[in-house]
Amino acid sequence: MIRVLIADDHPVVRQGLRTFLDLQDDITVVAEAGDGAQAVELVGELCPDVLLLDLKMPVLDGLGALERLTGTATRIVVLTSVSDRSDVGPAMRAGASGFLYKDVDPSALVQAVRAVHGGQVLLAPEAAEAMLASPNGASGVSGPVPLTEREREVLSLIAAGRSNREIARSLAVAEKTVKTHVSNVLMKLGVQDRTQAALYAVRHGLG
Protein backbone atom coordinates (compact mmCIF):
# COMPACT_ATOMS: atom_id res chain seq x y z
CA MET A 1 0.00 0.00 0.00
CA ILE A 2 1.40 3.39 -1.04
CA ARG A 3 0.88 5.91 1.76
CA VAL A 4 0.28 9.44 0.45
CA LEU A 5 0.27 12.84 2.15
CA ILE A 6 -1.49 15.72 0.37
CA ALA A 7 -0.25 19.28 0.96
CA ASP A 8 -2.39 22.05 -0.53
CA ASP A 9 -3.91 25.19 0.95
CA HIS A 10 -7.26 24.67 -0.81
CA PRO A 11 -9.55 22.26 1.10
CA VAL A 12 -11.60 21.47 -2.03
CA VAL A 13 -8.45 20.41 -3.89
CA ARG A 14 -7.32 18.23 -0.99
CA GLN A 15 -10.71 16.58 -0.73
CA GLY A 16 -10.87 15.91 -4.45
CA LEU A 17 -7.43 14.33 -4.48
CA ARG A 18 -8.18 12.26 -1.38
CA THR A 19 -11.47 10.98 -2.77
CA PHE A 20 -9.91 9.83 -6.02
CA LEU A 21 -6.71 8.38 -4.57
CA ASP A 22 -8.55 6.46 -1.87
CA LEU A 23 -10.47 4.64 -4.61
CA GLN A 24 -7.25 2.94 -5.67
CA ASP A 25 -6.58 -0.51 -4.26
CA ASP A 26 -2.88 0.19 -3.67
CA ILE A 27 -3.00 3.81 -2.45
CA THR A 28 -4.20 5.34 0.80
CA VAL A 29 -4.13 9.00 1.88
CA VAL A 30 -2.74 9.11 5.43
CA ALA A 31 -3.13 12.86 6.07
CA GLU A 32 -3.62 16.34 4.63
CA ALA A 33 -1.65 19.53 5.21
CA GLY A 34 -2.85 23.07 4.57
CA ASP A 35 0.58 24.71 4.45
CA GLY A 36 4.23 23.84 3.93
CA ALA A 37 5.17 23.89 7.60
CA GLN A 38 2.42 21.43 8.44
CA ALA A 39 3.53 19.23 5.55
CA VAL A 40 7.09 19.10 6.92
CA GLU A 41 5.76 18.26 10.38
CA LEU A 42 3.49 15.48 9.09
CA VAL A 43 6.25 13.94 6.98
CA GLY A 44 8.35 13.74 10.14
CA GLU A 45 5.51 12.15 12.10
CA LEU A 46 4.02 9.78 9.52
CA CYS A 47 6.87 9.07 7.05
CA PRO A 48 4.52 8.77 4.04
CA ASP A 49 5.80 7.10 0.89
CA VAL A 50 4.76 9.97 -1.37
CA LEU A 51 4.01 13.65 -0.72
CA LEU A 52 1.88 15.58 -3.22
CA LEU A 53 3.08 19.13 -2.67
CA ASP A 54 1.64 22.41 -3.89
CA LEU A 55 4.14 25.24 -4.41
CA LYS A 56 2.10 28.28 -3.42
CA MET A 57 1.07 27.85 0.22
CA PRO A 58 1.01 30.05 3.33
CA VAL A 59 3.45 29.90 6.28
CA LEU A 60 6.02 27.96 4.25
CA ASP A 61 5.83 27.56 0.48
CA GLY A 62 6.51 24.37 -1.43
CA LEU A 63 10.15 25.16 -2.23
CA GLY A 64 10.80 25.93 1.42
CA ALA A 65 9.20 22.63 2.41
CA LEU A 66 11.31 20.76 -0.15
CA GLU A 67 14.49 22.23 1.28
CA ARG A 68 13.53 21.16 4.80
CA LEU A 69 12.67 17.65 3.64
CA THR A 70 16.01 16.99 1.96
CA GLY A 71 17.28 13.56 2.94
CA THR A 72 13.92 12.09 3.95
CA ALA A 73 12.73 8.80 2.51
CA THR A 74 9.47 10.36 1.32
CA ARG A 75 9.29 10.81 -2.46
CA ILE A 76 7.91 14.25 -3.33
CA VAL A 77 5.77 15.16 -6.33
CA VAL A 78 5.12 18.85 -6.91
CA LEU A 79 1.50 19.28 -7.98
CA THR A 80 0.84 22.90 -8.85
CA SER A 81 -1.40 25.17 -10.87
CA VAL A 82 1.38 27.71 -11.28
CA SER A 83 2.47 27.95 -14.90
CA ASP A 84 5.76 29.74 -14.19
CA ARG A 85 8.36 27.37 -15.64
CA SER A 86 11.11 28.98 -13.60
CA ASP A 87 9.88 26.96 -10.60
CA VAL A 88 10.68 23.59 -12.20
CA GLY A 89 14.46 23.68 -11.93
CA PRO A 90 14.63 24.87 -8.30
CA ALA A 91 12.02 22.28 -7.26
CA MET A 92 13.86 19.38 -8.91
CA ARG A 93 17.23 20.50 -7.56
CA ALA A 94 15.69 20.81 -4.08
CA GLY A 95 14.79 17.13 -4.16
CA ALA A 96 11.45 16.68 -5.91
CA SER A 97 11.00 13.37 -7.72
CA GLY A 98 8.22 14.66 -9.95
CA PHE A 99 6.64 17.86 -11.22
CA LEU A 100 3.05 17.86 -12.44
CA TYR A 101 0.31 20.41 -13.03
CA LYS A 102 -3.15 20.24 -11.50
CA ASP A 103 -4.80 19.79 -14.88
CA VAL A 104 -3.17 16.35 -15.12
CA ASP A 105 -5.57 13.53 -15.97
CA PRO A 106 -6.59 11.70 -12.75
CA SER A 107 -5.46 8.33 -14.08
CA ALA A 108 -2.10 9.86 -15.05
CA LEU A 109 -1.73 11.23 -11.53
CA VAL A 110 -2.29 7.77 -10.07
CA GLN A 111 0.32 6.33 -12.42
CA ALA A 112 2.68 9.13 -11.41
CA VAL A 113 2.29 8.29 -7.73
CA ARG A 114 3.07 4.66 -8.46
CA ALA A 115 6.02 5.50 -10.70
CA VAL A 116 7.62 7.90 -8.25
CA HIS A 117 7.07 5.45 -5.41
CA GLY A 118 8.90 2.91 -7.54
CA GLY A 119 11.93 5.17 -7.80
CA GLN A 120 11.35 6.92 -11.11
CA VAL A 121 11.63 10.63 -11.88
CA LEU A 122 8.51 11.96 -13.59
CA LEU A 123 7.76 15.35 -15.11
CA ALA A 124 4.91 16.84 -17.07
CA PRO A 125 6.03 17.48 -20.67
CA GLU A 126 6.03 21.24 -20.07
CA ALA A 127 8.16 20.81 -16.96
CA ALA A 128 10.65 18.59 -18.78
CA GLU A 129 10.96 21.17 -21.55
CA ALA A 130 11.55 23.89 -18.96
CA MET A 131 14.35 21.86 -17.38
CA LEU A 132 15.98 21.23 -20.73
CA ALA A 133 15.74 24.88 -21.72
CA SER A 134 17.25 26.24 -18.51
CA PRO A 135 20.98 26.96 -18.15
CA ASN A 136 21.13 24.50 -15.24
CA GLY A 137 18.66 22.09 -16.74
CA ALA A 138 18.67 18.48 -17.77
CA SER A 139 21.54 18.57 -20.17
CA GLY A 140 24.43 20.70 -21.25
CA VAL A 141 23.98 19.48 -24.83
CA SER A 142 21.25 20.24 -27.35
CA GLY A 143 20.90 16.90 -29.13
CA PRO A 144 21.44 13.16 -28.78
CA VAL A 145 24.82 12.16 -27.34
CA PRO A 146 26.87 9.25 -28.74
CA LEU A 147 26.74 6.86 -25.80
CA THR A 148 28.00 3.30 -26.00
CA GLU A 149 25.45 0.50 -25.87
CA ARG A 150 26.38 -0.23 -22.24
CA GLU A 151 26.13 3.45 -21.31
CA ARG A 152 22.68 3.60 -22.87
CA GLU A 153 21.65 0.61 -20.75
CA VAL A 154 23.00 2.28 -17.63
CA LEU A 155 21.24 5.56 -18.48
CA SER A 156 17.95 3.72 -19.00
CA LEU A 157 18.29 2.10 -15.57
CA ILE A 158 19.17 5.45 -14.00
CA ALA A 159 15.96 6.86 -15.49
CA ALA A 160 14.09 3.95 -13.92
CA GLY A 161 15.39 5.03 -10.52
CA ARG A 162 17.81 2.14 -10.01
CA SER A 163 20.77 2.48 -7.64
CA ASN A 164 24.31 1.56 -8.67
CA ARG A 165 23.99 -1.72 -6.80
CA GLU A 166 20.72 -2.56 -8.56
CA ILE A 167 22.20 -1.64 -11.94
CA ALA A 168 25.20 -3.89 -11.23
CA ARG A 169 22.90 -6.79 -10.45
CA SER A 170 20.75 -6.18 -13.51
CA LEU A 171 23.74 -6.04 -15.87
CA ALA A 172 25.77 -8.72 -14.04
CA VAL A 173 28.80 -6.47 -13.62
CA ALA A 174 30.73 -5.11 -10.66
CA GLU A 175 29.35 -2.06 -8.85
CA LYS A 176 32.70 -0.33 -9.43
CA THR A 177 32.18 -0.80 -13.17
CA VAL A 178 28.73 0.76 -12.91
CA LYS A 179 30.17 3.79 -11.12
CA THR A 180 32.59 4.26 -14.01
CA HIS A 181 29.78 4.03 -16.55
CA VAL A 182 27.66 6.52 -14.57
CA SER A 183 30.55 8.98 -14.41
CA ASN A 184 31.07 8.66 -18.16
CA VAL A 185 27.37 9.17 -18.85
CA LEU A 186 27.21 12.31 -16.71
CA MET A 187 30.33 13.69 -18.36
CA LYS A 188 29.09 13.01 -21.90
CA LEU A 189 25.69 14.52 -21.20
CA GLY A 190 27.21 17.56 -19.52
CA VAL A 191 25.04 17.15 -16.41
CA GLN A 192 25.88 17.17 -12.72
CA ASP A 193 23.67 14.50 -11.23
CA ARG A 194 21.49 11.43 -11.84
CA THR A 195 18.23 13.41 -11.83
CA GLN A 196 19.38 15.54 -14.74
CA ALA A 197 20.59 12.41 -16.54
CA ALA A 198 17.17 10.83 -16.02
CA LEU A 199 15.50 13.92 -17.47
CA TYR A 200 17.72 13.69 -20.53
CA ALA A 201 16.79 10.03 -20.94
CA VAL A 202 13.08 10.80 -20.77
CA ARG A 203 13.44 13.68 -23.25
CA HIS A 204 15.28 11.53 -25.80
CA GLY A 205 13.26 8.35 -25.39
CA LEU A 206 15.98 6.45 -23.55
CA GLY A 207 14.10 5.95 -20.28
Side-chain angles (χ1 to χ4, degrees):
M1 186 68 71
I2 304 173
R3 302 169 65 253
V4 175
L5 169 64
I6 299 170
D8 194 291
D9 61 333
H10 292 95
V12 173
V13 172
R14 296 199 306 270
Q15 183 58 50
L17 290 170
R18 173 187 280 273
T19 299
F20 184 75
L21 291 174
D22 276 341
L23 291 175
Q24 312 306 311
D25 293 336
D26 59 341
I27 298 174
T28 183
V29 176
V30 295
E32 301 173 19
D35 59 63
Q38 187 180 22
V40 172
E41 181 180 351
L42 288 173
V43 167
E45 292 178 1
L46 303 174
C47 297
D49 298 308
V50 176
L51 166 63
L52 295 180
L53 180 69
D54 190 16
L55 286 181
K56 304 302 180 184
M57 292 186 292
V59 184
L60 181 68
D61 65 13
L63 288 177
L66 273 166
E67 292 169 357
R68 295 193 186 185
L69 292 171
T70 299
T72 63
T74 298
R75 304 278 288 178
I76 303 171
V77 178
V78 169
L79 184 63
T80 181
S81 59
V82 178
S83 59
D84 187 352
R85 294 188 174 190
S86 65
D87 287 326
V88 181
M92 298 305 294
R93 288 190 288 273
S97 298
F99 196 106
L100 301 173
Y101 297 99
K102 289 182 180 177
D103 61 357
V104 64
D105 184 80
S107 61
L109 176 60
V110 170
Q111 292 302 318
V113 169
R114 292 170 179 153
V116 168
H117 177 251
Q120 297 183 41
V121 175
L122 193 73
L123 291 91
E126 301 90 340
E129 291 292 339
M131 281 292 291
L132 290 166
S134 69
N136 298 311
S139 178
V141 295
S142 58
V145 174
L147 301 175
T148 66
E149 182 178 352
R150 179 62 84 188
E151 288 167 351
R152 288 170 65 91
E153 291 175 331
V154 170
L155 178 57
S156 178
L157 291 168
I158 289 174
R162 303 293 188 265
S163 66
N164 284 353
R165 179 173 297 180
E166 291 170 330
I167 293 173
R169 290 174 180 171
S170 177
L171 300 179
V173 297
E175 189 172 348
K176 183 177 180 180
T177 300
V178 172
K179 290 180 180 179
T180 299
H181 286 314
V182 171
S183 295
N184 289 340
V185 167
L186 297 183
M187 180 182 66
K188 286 185 178 182
L189 297 185
V191 300
Q192 298 180 350
D193 56 44
R194 298 167 77 95
T195 297
Q196 292 178 356
L199 291 171
Y200 177 92
V202 171
R203 177 66 175 83
H204 293 280
L206 301 175

